Amino acid sequence: MKQSIRSVYNFNAGPSALPLPVLEKAQQELVDFRGTGMSIMELSHRSKAYDDVHNEAIARLKRLFSIPDNYEVLFLQGGASLQFSMIPMSFLNPGQKAGYVMTGAWAEKAFDEAKLFGEPYQVASTKENNHSTIPGVNDLQYNEDDAYVHLTSNNTIYGTQWKEFPDTGDVPLIADMSSDIMSKPIDVSKFGLIYAGAQKNLGPSGVTVVIIRKDLLERSNQEIPTMLNYNTHAKSNSLYHTPPTFGIYMLGEVLRWIDELGGLEAVAKQNEEKAKLIYDVIDGSGGFYRGHAEPESRSLMNITFKLADESLEKKFLDQAKEAGFVGLNGHRSVGGCRASTYNSVPVEACLALSEFMTRFQKNNS
Ligand code: PMP
C-alpha cells in the first residue's frame, strides 16, 4: 500500500485513518465531480449523479457484507448514540424487557437510554473484571419474551471483541458494531439489527449505517417522530430528507477500496496480521507492556495496554508522538495506551509501532 508516504501513523480511535487512495481520489474529484462541473457537495441529493453514488454504496455494502435480501441498509445521522435511543423507542414498550450485555461504557450508554422507554436489564456484565473479557455465548441469561438482546461487538475503550456471536433464536439480536463493522466477514442473518457510526471502519463521521431485518421494520412502534422511525428511511431509500451526501460518497469509496483489496476476507487477514504485530510485542515484553484485555477476548481493532512502570507512560506517549504516532493515548476514562488498528490503518504503521515499542523497552529497562 502507498500509505507509507504519509507523514504520520494515525492510530486515532475515531474519527480515524482513511485509505490514502480514497483521500486522493476525493481530492481529485472535489471541484468537478465526474464531469458535472460541481463538487459532490454541491449536487442535489435528488440528482442522477448523486443517486448513482448513493445506490452504489448501498449495493456494495450489501454485497461485501453478504447481507441477505430480507434486510434493509439505511444511512442515517445522529451517530451510534442516536441508535441507543431509536432502538428502544422502536422496539421496547413500557413494561417490556430487553436484555443488555454490559461489556463497557458504550453498552452502559445504550442501557441508560433504554430505561427511558421500557425495562432493560443486564443479561451479563464484565464490570467485575473491569471489562477485560467478553461473556461466553452460552452465558447470557435472557428471556424468550424479551423485546431484544443488545450487545456491543467491539468495545472501543477497553479493547475487547466478540469472536463468535450468540444465537438468540426468536429474540432479535441487536449489535452496536461501531468499532468493528466490516472488519471481517460475519453471519448477518444472526442479527435483527446492526448499527455503526461510519467514522472508524467505513468513512468520515456524519453517516450512521443501520442494517435492519424487514420483519423488525413491520413490528416497530409507529407512534414516534417521523425522523426517528426506521420505516421513514427504509421506504425512501434513506432519501426522506437530505442525507450526508459527502459522507456517503466517501463511505462508498472506502467500500470500493475494500473491494479492490479482495473484500472482507482479505481485510480480516490483514487486520489479524496488524494486531498480531503489536500483541506479540506486548506478550514478548516480559511484563514491560501489559495488555488490558484477556488474550481470548482481545480486540483486533483497539489494542489497549499499560506500561508496568506507570511513571514511564508519559515518556512513552511523548516519544511516540515525536516519532509521528498519533492517537495512542487511552480513552480519557481509563488512561493507559490504545492503538486503534481499523481497516484503513496500514500494515506498515503497525510494524512501525511494534518496532518503536521494542526500541522503547530496550532503552528503558
Ligand atoms: N458505540 C461504540 C462502540 C463506540 O465506539 C462509539 C464511539 N466511539 C459510539 C458507540 C458512539 O458513537 P457516535 O459518536 O457515532 O455516536
Side-chain angles (χ1 to χ4, degrees):
M1 260 184 301
K2 207 174 155 206
Q3 296 207 344
S4 51
I5 64 162
R6 301 194 76 176
S7 58
V8 295
Y9 298 114
N10 185 352
F11 288 97
N12 276 333
S16 44
L18 286 165
L20 182 61
V22 170
L23 292 172
E24 286 176 339
K25 185 167 177 203
Q27 182 182 42
Q28 199 193 341
E29 296 187 326
L30 194 71
V31 176
D32 180 3
F33 181 71
R34 299 178 193 170
T36 57
M38 293 170 274
S39 168
I40 178 95
M41 289 178 279
E42 298 172 298
L43 296 181
S44 163
H45 61 294
R46 308 284 174 206
S47 65
K48 164 95 175 60
Y50 175 71
D51 213 41
D52 289 349
V53 168
H54 189 93
N55 290 330
E56 199 180 323
I58 293 173
R60 206 184 285 270
L61 200 150
K62 282 187 176 164
R63 179 167 52 74
L64 280 171
F65 210 20
S66 305
I67 299 177
D69 288 343
N70 59 327
Y71 287 76
E72 295 279 354
V73 170
L74 311 178
F75 293 145
L76 308 184
Q77 296 180 64
S81 299
L82 185 58
Q83 293 308 303
F84 296 164
S85 322
M86 272 176 79
I87 289 162
M89 184 182 274
S90 299
F91 305 115
L92 188 59
N93 294 315
Q96 212 183 0
K97 289 189 173 355
Y100 278 71
V101 188
M102 308 303 282
T103 52
W106 297 111
E108 272 164 31
K109 290 208 160 128
F111 181 76
D112 286 346
E113 285 300 295
K115 286 187 206 155
L116 298 170
F117 301 95
E119 299 190 5
Y121 70 98
Q122 306 193 2
V123 280
S125 170
T126 52
K127 198 168 182 150
E128 271 189 11
N129 60 35
N130 196 16
H131 301 304
S132 58
T133 61
I134 289 292
V137 285
N138 298 320
D139 296 341
L140 309 183
Q141 306 292 327
Y142 60 91
N143 307 306
E144 289 306 323
D145 56 355
D146 284 350
Y148 55 82
V149 171
H150 178 281
L151 62 79
T152 315
S153 60
N154 183 80
N155 297 283
T156 325
I157 295 175
Y158 295 92
T160 58
Q161 185 177 26
W162 293 73
K163 306 293 169 196
E164 54 173 329
F165 293 108
D167 188 343
T168 52
D170 288 339
V171 182
L173 181 60
I174 295 186
D176 174 359
M177 293 198 183
S178 287
S179 50
D180 70 348
I181 191 165
M182 295 182 80
S183 62
K184 58 183 176 184
I186 60 158
D187 180 1
V188 171
S189 73
K190 279 195 148 179
F191 298 88
L193 189 154
I194 291 170
Y195 64 98
Q199 66 269 20
K200 301 175 198 297
N201 267 332
L202 299 181
S205 59
V207 187
T208 313
V209 174
V210 172
I211 301 165
I212 182 168
R213 214 172 56 211
K214 288 179 183 166
D215 62 288
L216 284 186
L217 284 170
E218 285 156 22
R219 278 197 232 175
S220 72
N221 191 351
Q222 296 306 301
E223 307 302 311
I224 57 177
T226 309
M227 272 295 288
L228 302 179
N229 188 333
Y230 292 110
N231 284 283
T232 303
H233 305 286
K235 278 186 199 144
S236 57
N237 192 30
S238 302
L239 285 160
Y240 170 74
H241 74 137
T242 318
T245 53
F246 184 73
I248 291 169
Y249 156 71
M250 288 296 286
L251 178 141
E253 290 304 318
V254 171
L255 294 178
R256 187 194 302 278
W257 173 81
I258 289 178
D259 227 349
E260 286 165 4
L261 273 184
L264 295 194
E265 306 267 345
V267 163
K269 192 163 165 280
Q270 192 167 290
N271 285 335
E272 277 170 29
E273 190 189 331
K274 282 156 36 183
K276 186 173 185 306
L277 283 166
I278 300 165
Y279 282 126
D280 278 355
V281 173
I282 294 173
D283 293 340
S285 72
F288 184 86
Y289 297 109
R290 300 215 168 132
H292 176 73
E294 292 298 329
E296 68 281 5
S297 299
R298 280 173 167 172
S299 168
L300 299 187
M301 300 280 100
N302 307 100
I303 301 172
T304 48
F305 60 96
K306 290 196 159 145
L307 274 73
D309 178 353
E310 263 185 55
S311 66
L312 278 178
E313 212 151 82
K314 188 176 176 311
K315 186 174 175 191
F316 174 82
L317 289 168
D318 286 348
Q319 289 192 3
K321 199 170 168 194
E322 250 169 61
F325 297 96
V326 173
L328 288 180
N329 292 65
H331 188 269
R332 59 190 187 281
S333 62
V334 295
C337 310
R338 170 176 58 176
S340 297
T341 54
Y342 301 125
N343 287 351
S344 307
V345 173
V347 177
E348 300 91 277
C350 298
L351 183 63
L353 178 59
S354 70
E355 289 169 356
F356 172 81
M357 288 170 70
T358 304
R359 218 167 35 245
F360 183 84
Q361 180 177 3
K362 212 165 140 213
N363 295 341
N364 291 280
S365 342

